[in-house]
Amino acid sequence: MRYTIGEAANILGVSASTLRYYDQEGLLPLVERSSGGVRIFTGKDLEWLRVIECLKKSGLSIREIRAFTDMVSQGDASLSDRLALFRARREAVLRQIEENQQTLALLDFKCWYYTQAAQDGTEERVRTMPAEQVPEPYRTIKAQLNAAPPDALQT
């Protein structure tokens, strides 16, 4: 199947200007053009664009994605380099997930904390609550927060 830039953008959930930018940056070397110069996208192009979006979301810059595009153009000679790139990105994403899980745990704790405080009309009870009375999912976070230096700002 063949797609216009607008159709391809819609399928991918990006703007047509994003696809034009990728093309200008050399990330779409195989996209065909009509005799009038209009970009024509195929299913293979959409697959390639999904990989570009994945790499972008994983934290690679356009320059780094262009380097990956260059690797692909080298064919099988660059397979180990491409594998190394994807393994490195995978590790980076796993680190981001861990950081996000820690952030989510703190947000969950604070939602619980302020729900309790709002119900009580004051923070006093929940702030001074012994660790064993804090619900299990929040004990670790409360302990981590309490480990802050005594002169740290209360949140």
Side-chain angles (χ1 to χ4, degrees), residues 73-149:
S73 70
Q74 295 170 15
D76 291 347
S78 68
L79 287 174
S80 61
D81 292 335
R82 288 184 267 165
L83 175 59
L85 172 84
F86 276 91
R87 283 183 173 161
R89 292 319 314 148
R90 183 180 185 282
E91 288 303 313
V93 168
L94 286 172
R95 282 190 302 276
Q96 290 170 344
I97 289 170
E98 176 61 32
E99 290 169 6
N100 285 339
Q101 287 174 332
Q102 291 173 9
T103 299
L104 180 60
L106 177 57
L107 292 170
D108 286 344
F109 169 75
K110 284 302 191 177
C111 286
W112 169 80
Y113 178 97
Y114 286 115
T115 297
Q116 299 301 304
Q119 288 172 355
D120 293 348
T122 179
E123 291 181 66
E124 184 60 30
R125 181 183 66 84
V126 72
R127 184 178 345 105
T128 59
M129 185 179 285
E132 62 274 3
Q133 291 180 5
V134 173
E136 180 61 37
Y138 310 124
R139 287 182 190 162
T140 301
I141 294 297
K142 182 169 174 51
Q144 289 171 353
L145 291 173
N146 288 342

Side-chain angles (χ1 to χ4, degrees), residues 1-154:
M1 196 146 185
R2 299 163 78 79
Y3 306 95
T4 65
I5 194 166
E7 291 168 335
N10 189 43
I11 290 167
L12 296 166
V14 299
S15 67
S17 63
T18 295
L19 298 182
R20 286 186 199 95
Y21 175 70
Y22 289 170
D23 192 23
Q24 290 168 354
E25 290 297 317
L27 304 183
L28 306 176
L30 302 178
V31 170
E32 294 178 40
R33 290 189 183 254
S34 70
S35 59
V38 175
R39 293 171 188 90
I40 302 168
F41 293 85
T42 64
K44 197 82 167 149
D45 295 322
L46 297 181
E47 180 182 327
W48 176 251
L49 284 160
R50 286 184 180 103
V51 172
I52 289 172
E53 282 297 302
C54 172
L55 291 172
K56 185 177 159 199
K57 288 177 183 176
S58 79
L60 286 189
S61 68
I62 294 297
R63 182 179 53 78
E64 292 166 318
I65 296 171
R66 189 179 318 111
F68 170 71
T69 302
D70 293 342
M71 283 184 229
V72 172
S73 70
Q74 295 170 15
D76 291 347
S78 68
L79 287 174
S80 61
D81 292 335
R82 288 184 267 165
L83 175 59
L85 172 84
F86 276 91
R87 283 183 173 161
R89 292 319 314 148
R90 183 180 185 282
E91 288 303 313
V93 168
L94 286 172
R95 282 190 302 276
Q96 290 170 344
I97 289 170
E98 176 61 32
E99 290 169 6
N100 285 339
Q101 287 174 332
Q102 291 173 9
T103 299
L104 180 60
L106 177 57
L107 292 170
D108 286 344
F109 169 75
K110 284 302 191 177
C111 286
W112 169 80
Y113 178 97
Y114 286 115
T115 297
Q116 299 301 304
Q119 288 172 355
D120 293 348
T122 179
E123 291 181 66
E124 184 60 30
R125 181 183 66 84
V126 72
R127 184 178 345 105
T128 59
M129 185 179 285
E132 62 274 3
Q133 291 180 5
V134 173
E136 180 61 37
Y138 310 124
R139 287 182 190 162
T140 301
I141 294 297
K142 182 169 174 51
Q144 289 171 353
L145 291 173
N146 288 342
D151 60 341
L153 176 65
Q154 290 293 316

